[in-house]
Amino acid sequence: MKEFSNLQNECLQLIESHNKCENNCCNNHFCINNGCKESDCSNCMYNILHNPNPQIHYSCNRITYYYVLRFFNRFASEISHLIDLFVPHINKTITDIYIVSLGCGPGTEIYGFLKSLNDTHPNIKLHYEGHDLEKSWETVQNISKRCLSNMNHNINFYSTDMFADFHGFNNDYINFLILNYVLSDAVKYLTKEQKTNFIDNIVGFIIDNNVRNVIFNDIKYYGYPLLLDSGIQLMKLLISKLKKRGKNIKEL
């Protein structure tokens, strides 16, 4: 889709215009100090994604452009593949789909939804609210909103705590809540008590806002079966808590 290509082209132009790291690097020149070429984001990205105790996060704007160019197509296609499972069950008369994304980053899932719905439900309007505490994503998010502006979707991003600052929609339900790597991040950064509280917040949000489907967009699924040390253990805890609250859960 041309909107997708336009986003990538703008990010390519931005990353080429930042061909040298800034003197006041927010990551203290992590990449150069660890032996890679100046402005090569691969070492920084590897540390963010694969180090159990990462020294940096998505605080550098250039890393966000690099992320879009390297991963956007893959992650959007993964969401599209999943949404394809739902498409046959979407009524032809439905005109609106309501989506909330926690840890949204650049909002990759928007393009996954659009790709899956394009052929069978081209007139559906997406109502999307994405939350991510990393403000460095704002440039990419604004580019994405501009690229999608002619498609009449309602797309909004916020760099705020979703549980305290959910803006909501003019309806009484949410079709999809997407948890983007937030369970893996919880494993990395939170204590056991904080993890439990975090899961309780998600459960409360799901029940209070009548969430119909939850997508666990996460890759860190390994861990010991009796400990909260992996994304999948937190996922299982969340599901068990929903069941205790009387929710009928169907897992795909």
Side-chain angles (χ1 to χ4, degrees):
M1 56 188 296
K2 65 178 181 179
E3 293 81 10
F4 184 89
S5 298
N6 291 341
L7 170 64
Q8 289 188 313
N9 286 334
E10 287 205 42
C11 286
L12 179 60
Q13 293 174 16
L14 284 168
I15 204 169
E16 288 178 342
S17 69
H18 290 72
N19 59 355
K20 288 188 176 181
C21 295
E22 299 175 0
N23 290 331
N24 57 341
C25 175
C26 57
N27 288 325
N28 195 30
H29 294 288
F30 174 88
C31 54
I32 299 174
N33 293 334
N34 284 273
C36 69
K37 295 180 179 179
E38 189 170 1
S39 294
D40 178 358
C41 294
S42 59
N43 271 12
C44 292
M45 186 64 71
Y46 187 88
N47 183 267
I48 293 171
L49 295 178
H50 300 291
N51 193 317
N53 296 295
Q55 298 168 258
I56 58 176
H57 214 245
Y58 295 106
S59 51
C60 169
N61 284 334
R62 197 177 193 278
I63 292 177
T64 65
Y65 312 144
Y66 177 85
Y67 180 101
V68 171
L69 295 172
R70 181 172 176 182
F71 297 117
F72 213 86
N73 187 68
R74 168 188 159 190
F75 292 159
S77 65
E78 288 176 353
I79 293 295
S80 177
H81 176 72
L82 179 61
I83 300 304
D84 284 344
L85 300 177
F86 289 90
V87 167
H89 306 288
I90 298 177
N91 193 302
K92 292 286 186 180
T93 62
I94 290 179
T95 57
D96 302 88
I97 289 182
Y98 300 88
I99 306 165
V100 176
S101 178
L102 180 58
C104 64
T108 316
E109 58 272 5
I110 298 171
Y111 296 84
F113 272 89
L114 293 176
K115 182 178 184 299
S116 290
L117 297 171
N118 184 56
D119 294 331
T120 56
H121 299 76
N123 297 319
I124 281 183
K125 180 175 181 176
L126 299 185
H127 302 266
Y128 173 93
E129 180 171 330
H131 285 261
D132 198 300
L133 296 177
E134 290 283 0
K135 293 186 177 182
S136 56
W137 289 111
E138 288 182 356
T139 300
V140 174
Q141 292 167 350
N142 289 333
I143 295 172
S144 189
K145 287 186 67 173
R146 186 170 67 251
C147 291
L148 296 168
S149 60
N150 293 328
M151 299 185 72
N152 196 36
H153 299 295
N154 180 23
I155 308 296
N156 291 291
F157 296 98
Y158 302 95
S159 55
T160 55
D161 180 356
M162 183 186 75
F163 304 118
D165 188 43
F166 178 57
H167 290 238
F169 311 109
N170 294 322
N171 65 328
D172 59 358
Y173 65 91
I174 294 170
N175 294 101
F176 294 94
L177 169 64
I178 306 175
L179 304 178
N180 289 292
Y181 306 100
V182 292
L183 300 186
S184 291
D185 280 351
V187 170
K188 289 182 180 179
Y189 301 113
L190 303 184
T191 65
K192 182 178 180 180
E193 181 180 359
Q194 289 172 330
K195 293 173 194 175
T196 302
N197 291 337
F198 180 56
I199 295 300
D200 287 339
N201 285 335
I202 297 175
V203 170
F205 182 89
I206 291 171
I207 293 174
D208 292 344
N209 294 282
N210 192 17
V211 175
R212 298 180 176 179
N213 301 284
V214 180
I215 294 176
F216 297 92
N217 183 25
D218 211 309
I219 57 175
K220 298 296 186 182
Y221 283 157
Y222 53 82
Y224 296 101
L226 299 180
L227 301 175
L228 298 181
D229 65 342
S230 71
I232 196 168
Q233 296 307 321
L234 293 184
M235 179 183 72
K236 289 179 177 179
L237 177 62
L238 191 154
I239 292 172
S240 69
K241 285 178 175 287
L242 285 172
K243 289 180 177 178
K244 289 179 181 179
R245 297 286 294 271
K247 290 295 181 180
N248 184 22
I249 307 296
K250 179 181 179 182
E251 300 180 40
L252 294 180

